Amino acid sequence: MRGYQGTTVVDAHRLHVDFDSPNAQFLQATSGAGLGILSPATAGTPLADRCRGRFVGSGPYVLDHYTSNQEVVLKRRAGYSWPSSLAKVRGEASLAEVRFVFVPEAGARTTALRSGQVQVAENVQPADQDSFAKDGFHLLVTRVPGLVPPLSLNHAGVLADERVRQALLLAVDRADLVRTVLGPRFEPATGVLAATTPLYVDQSDKLRYDPDRAAELLDEAGWRPGPDGIRVKDGKPLTLNWLIPAPMPPVDEYVQQQLRKVGVDVKLNAVPPTKYVEQQQAGKFDITAVAVTRADPDVLRNIFYSKGSNLWHLPPSKLDDYLEQQAAATDEGKRREAVAKAAEWILDHADTVPLYENALVHGVSDAVKDLETDASTRLDLHDARLAS
């Protein structure tokens, strides 16, 4: 909504939105939940009440109730007749009710699916995925668009030195990470953006695994191997604090081991989510890992724009110009060029370390038909049905 100036209602089905400058990403943004249509009565409801479930939207389901940390129950909207032109079902949703149950522990989710307590389990872990690809179940796999899961680097302190950041970029074996930890439904990162993102740029050549060159860069930066293998400069070890919202994913330990091979000591600091946000905002980290799901390359501006929130303390640079150009371009060719320049700058200066292409893997009972995900990886429930 950056630069938003106002909206004029044209007629019952049209409105005109004004910005102070061209805004290429806005149309895509209107398709996401963040700009979902709410009723006039809901618009006047206090935010705290809306967060507790007191709201009315315009979709094929209405919210029956929301119980914090327990469940959400949706019920079919009577008389619904305005689905997307892409929908298979033209009228009301097929399912009378959809119940979401909060089950944080992955093993408990898979057990609930196997026992028939639920028909869909979100985020099935790699070790369990093959067992849900057969025998009455199938997998719903969605390649996640947007900014791939990375090492997000604080450009203050040790990582202000581009040579150190470049060493981190070269020291991770992405193919082995996917093969060892994540499994065949994931892919090594081939750029800053996921391949499913519009205007994606293939940057595979900049993401090669080259630990020898990483070691050379650390040498050039003055970090020499110490007696225990950890590099040292001016009597201080090359130690980086990785701030992680608990629980810690297994990927983090793998990356820690990879970086140790080139003499970088990474401390895994897993903290409760509220503390994570506080420490991230205060800049008390060297590394975090922030991915952004969105089917638009403007996610680069969300993360790497020095005039924005700039959690990574990036200095002003030509990157800001490229990010502004892609946001304002009304010609797709010019926008593609600006996105490519921004993506190239980010890796040429090692402003982040892309790791892998994320995939959202749901385990689904074969009783469920026509369940899909939208461009933002949310479940599209309108066409979903249960086999008779």
Side-chain angles (χ1 to χ4, degrees):
M1 300 298 290
R2 183 184 176 91
Y4 173 75
Q5 291 189 314
T7 300
T8 302
V9 175
V10 178
D11 56 37
H13 296 96
R14 294 185 298 162
L15 50 86
H16 184 91
V17 184
D18 284 305
F19 289 87
D20 60 12
S21 61
N23 191 332
Q25 56 81 42
F26 176 68
L27 284 180
Q28 190 280 328
T30 63
S31 71
L35 291 178
I37 299 172
L38 297 175
S39 72
T42 297
T45 302
L47 179 59
D49 289 342
R50 278 183 269 165
C51 289
R52 297 187 187 99
R54 290 182 55 190
F55 63 84
V56 176
S58 62
Y61 292 89
V62 297
L63 179 65
D64 182 75
H65 69 270
Y66 160 56
T67 305
S68 179
N69 294 320
Q70 293 185 35
E71 67 175 10
V72 174
V73 175
L74 307 178
K75 292 195 174 179
R76 179 170 51 203
R77 184 190 295 273
Y80 182 79
S81 61
W82 51 93
S84 160
S85 60
L86 302 177
K88 299 175 184 176
V89 177
R90 301 310 308 160
E92 296 180 7
S94 300
L95 299 173
E97 180 178 296
V98 181
R99 179 170 174 251
F100 291 86
V101 184
F102 300 135
V103 183
E105 205 278 311
R109 290 197 299 275
T110 56
T111 298
L113 180 58
R114 285 195 182 98
S115 66
Q117 294 175 281
V118 301
Q119 288 77 47
V120 181
E122 183 181 89
N123 196 23
V124 175
Q125 297 303 293
D128 295 319
Q129 289 172 9
D130 286 344
S131 67
F132 287 111
K134 57 187 177 181
D135 301 332
F137 300 95
H138 61 275
L139 295 175
L140 176 60
V141 181
T142 305
R143 298 284 184 193
V144 178
L147 186 71
V148 300
L151 300 182
S152 303
L153 308 179
N154 189 346
H155 288 50
V158 173
L159 296 179
D161 190 330
E162 185 178 312
R163 294 168 296 185
V164 179
R165 301 198 306 271
Q166 288 285 1
L168 302 186
L169 193 67
L170 295 168
V172 178
D173 186 342
R174 293 165 182 81
D176 191 60
L177 164 65
V178 169
R179 183 171 54 251
T180 304
V181 181
L182 296 171
R185 293 172 184 89
F186 294 77
E187 295 286 344
T190 56
V192 179
L193 295 172
T196 50
T197 312
L199 309 187
Y200 151 83
V201 179
D202 187 338
Q203 300 173 287
S204 305
D205 59 321
K206 299 180 185 293
L207 294 177
R208 68 188 187 281
Y209 175 50
D210 191 344
D212 293 337
R213 179 55 183 154
E216 291 175 0
L217 285 164
L218 293 172
D219 285 340
E220 292 172 13
W223 293 98
R224 302 293 181 179
D228 60 352
I230 299 302
R231 291 176 176 268
V232 178
K233 181 179 181 179
D234 298 330
K236 296 181 179 180
L238 182 47
T239 300
L240 301 178
N241 170 30
W242 186 345
L243 181 64
I244 303 164
M248 184 173 64
V251 165
D252 297 5
E253 292 182 284
Y254 172 91
V255 174
Q256 178 192 44
Q257 294 165 12
Q258 288 276 296
L259 297 182
R260 189 174 183 87
K261 291 178 181 178
V262 297
V264 181
D265 180 25
V266 177
K267 303 295 185 184
L268 302 178
N269 180 23
V271 299
T274 52
K275 190 174 181 181
Y276 168 81
V277 172
E278 291 173 3
Q279 293 190 14
Q280 186 186 65
Q281 294 285 344
K284 295 180 179 179
F285 65 92
D286 296 302
I287 300 171
T288 58
V290 176
V292 181
T293 299
R294 189 178 173 193
D296 192 277
D298 197 55
V299 293
L300 298 178
R301 184 170 59 91
N302 298 148
I303 296 298
F304 299 106
Y305 193 46
S306 75
K307 302 174 187 178
S309 57
N310 199 12
L311 294 173
W312 329 118
H313 304 101
L314 284 93
S317 69
K318 288 183 180 179
L319 176 59
D320 293 329
D321 297 334
Y322 300 145
L323 295 174
E324 290 170 356
Q325 290 165 14
Q326 67 80 26
T330 54
D331 176 82
E332 182 173 327
K334 291 181 178 179
R335 191 176 191 217
R336 183 183 301 277
E337 181 181 357
V339 169
K341 287 180 177 179
E344 182 177 20
W345 177 283
I346 289 166
L347 289 192
D348 282 348
H349 294 80
D351 288 330
T352 190
V353 177
L355 295 178
Y356 60 93
E357 293 248 2
N358 202 7
L360 187 61
V361 182
H362 295 77
V364 184
S365 165
D366 282 349
V368 180
K369 306 295 183 183
D370 297 328
L371 178 66
E372 297 179 353
T373 55
D374 65 14
S376 298
T377 73
R378 294 181 175 88
L379 290 176
D380 185 348
L381 298 169
H382 178 256
D383 288 345
R385 59 188 174 85
L386 289 172
S388 56

